[in-house]
Amino acid sequence: MTIHSNDFGPAPHTRIGFLLFPGFPMACLTSAMEPLRAANEIAGHQVFSWSLVTETGADAKASAGVLFPAETSLAEAEGFDCLFLLSGPEAEFEDPVASPGRLRYLARHGVTLGAVSGGVFPLARSGVLAGRRSAVHWCYRSAFEAAFPDCTAVDRLIVRDGNVHTVSGATAMFDLSLELIGKALGADAMNEVACMFQHPIIRNGSARQKIPVLQSDRTVDQMPPAVKEAMAIFSENFETPVCIRDVARMAGISPRQLERSFRTATGLSPGEYYRRQRLKAARQMVLYSWDSVSDIAHAVGYASSSTLTLHYRKFYGVTPVQDRKQAYLPARGSPAPTSSLAPGCS
């Protein structure tokens, strides 16, 4: 039986484009398409259609090594209601003038633009995200904020800012597809599709991302209130570090209580946790930006690059320069590699 979105006829047809960059995360693409395909089957007609787009029209190889044939180039892409960019954070446009201009043209002419996971990086490079809020996966956030200070990164699953929709990762893209299905076909169809894929919870896009805690099998939202508050303060104060005594006061407990609570929850002292978080932020910038080691050191609160290098090598086993070389980060303006630097963020 055909499902209708309302009493006035079948749901309108929605055409979605996926702009793929070399090394894009395949899970983000399948998480978008598969629930839409299932919705078409439930509806008994094509409510959603999709096309694969690349900048030049050439085929794109995913981070898993699977080759996807493109149906059109960005310059010739027409007729889409939505166009989502899928890439790793290192993705660059082959034509840094015409291609970003094309995206801005599409946005001005009513196309909803979006990005999934690392796709926020080329979308930001196009200028479309300037002055906007965007969902940025926690594993890229420090690098994104350093590269695009005119954008506001938030730790939500999905962020809609005008006609720009950003999605933090693969499962969040599944949630967005479910939402599209619900709007087109109703809550019953959305729930059926979720159950078909054993997607146990239909999450609201405004929910916060799950962020792992160092040396723990828990996430930040599962921490005791004072520890969670301290972690939030730490994450907002990398460039100008705050002292533990001040953090304890802001969290509403004594330094001794904070120390005890932190060790119980994480196995680390607050100071060690803070330093490791700053080193993680530094590594994001080493892997996903072209900033100098000196600039990165200052961005995460180190007085010198030599001190950062010493701590970085102790924690990661390599220096920042060695780590960047091992990741094959291309020089600015060079073609992006065919395998993503992204550590499987979804």
Side-chain angles (χ1 to χ4, degrees):
M1 181 176 70
T2 300
I3 296 176
H4 297 275
S5 60
N6 50 52
D7 294 332
F8 302 100
H13 180 214
T14 299
R15 188 174 179 214
I16 301 172
F18 296 102
L19 176 57
L20 310 179
F21 287 78
F24 74 93
M26 187 170 67
C28 294
L29 180 62
T30 56
S31 291
M33 293 193 302
E34 282 299 300
L36 300 180
R37 173 197 58 77
N40 287 342
E41 292 179 3
I42 291 171
H45 65 279
Q46 193 172 52
V47 179
F48 302 98
S49 63
W50 47 88
S51 298
L52 304 184
V53 183
T54 59
E55 185 179 0
T56 64
D59 295 348
K61 184 176 287 188
S63 57
V66 180
L67 192 66
F68 286 78
E71 298 167 56
T72 187
S73 68
L74 176 58
E76 297 175 347
E78 296 284 354
F80 293 122
D81 299 294
C82 312
L83 179 66
F84 287 95
L85 280 65
L86 277 66
S87 77
E90 77 290 347
E92 292 270 343
F93 292 101
E94 291 191 31
D95 188 330
V97 177
S99 296
R102 177 63 176 168
L103 289 178
R104 294 192 298 271
Y105 171 87
L106 293 173
R108 289 195 304 270
H109 288 78
V111 177
T112 295
L113 294 183
V116 189
S117 191
V120 293
F121 282 77
L123 189 61
R125 290 181 181 119
S126 75
V128 169
L129 286 180
R132 295 181 184 268
R133 298 169 67 253
S134 59
V136 180
H137 197 290
W138 60 265
C139 71
Y140 302 140
R141 181 167 178 174
S142 294
F144 183 88
E145 290 178 328
F148 308 107
D150 58 343
C151 305
T152 301
V154 295
D155 69 348
R156 298 297 193 268
L157 297 176
I158 302 164
V159 171
R160 299 165 187 79
D161 192 330
N163 66 334
V164 178
H165 298 173
T166 48
V167 186
S168 57
T171 55
M173 188 65 223
F174 195 102
D175 292 317
L176 180 59
S177 290
L178 288 177
E179 183 178 306
L180 294 174
I181 293 165
K183 289 181 178 178
L185 298 173
D188 289 349
M190 177 178 68
N191 185 55
E192 183 173 349
V193 171
C195 291
M196 286 174 67
F197 291 92
Q198 291 297 289
H199 194 69
I201 300 174
I202 300 175
R203 301 178 299 178
N204 187 303
S206 63
R208 292 184 179 275
Q209 297 175 34
K210 293 285 187 178
I211 302 175
V213 173
L214 292 170
Q215 296 192 209
S216 172
D217 60 357
R218 293 190 288 173
T219 54
V220 170
D221 61 300
Q222 297 172 324
M223 292 290 103
V227 173
K228 183 165 60 176
E229 176 67 19
M231 288 177 171
I233 295 167
F234 289 150
S235 68
E236 293 167 1
N237 291 275
F238 285 158
E239 186 171 359
T240 305
V242 290
C243 73
I244 303 303
R245 183 176 296 276
D246 289 340
V247 173
R249 176 179 53 78
M250 288 185 278
I253 60 176
S254 70
R256 185 184 297 274
Q257 287 175 308
L258 182 62
E259 175 87 16
R260 186 165 53 247
S261 297
F262 239 93
R263 287 193 180 278
T264 300
T266 70
L268 300 171
S269 70
E272 178 63 17
Y273 175 88
Y274 192 16
R275 182 167 70 249
R276 292 192 185 190
Q277 289 299 99
R278 289 160 56 208
L279 285 171
K280 284 178 64 178
R283 190 164 194 254
Q284 287 185 27
M285 286 180 264
V286 167
L287 296 181
Y288 308 133
S289 81
W290 294 266
D291 293 347
S292 69
V293 176
S294 178
D295 287 344
I296 292 171
H298 293 144
V300 296
Y302 280 85
S304 69
S305 58
S306 59
T307 306
L308 170 64
T309 298
L310 181 67
H311 289 179
Y312 196 102
R313 185 170 189 170
K314 182 178 180 180
F315 192 65
Y316 292 113
V318 292
T319 68
V321 172
Q322 291 169 335
D323 206 9
R324 181 172 279 177
K325 286 181 178 178
Q326 290 173 4
Y328 303 109
L329 184 69
R332 183 177 291 277
S334 337
T338 56
S339 61
S340 173
L341 296 172
C345 298
S346 60

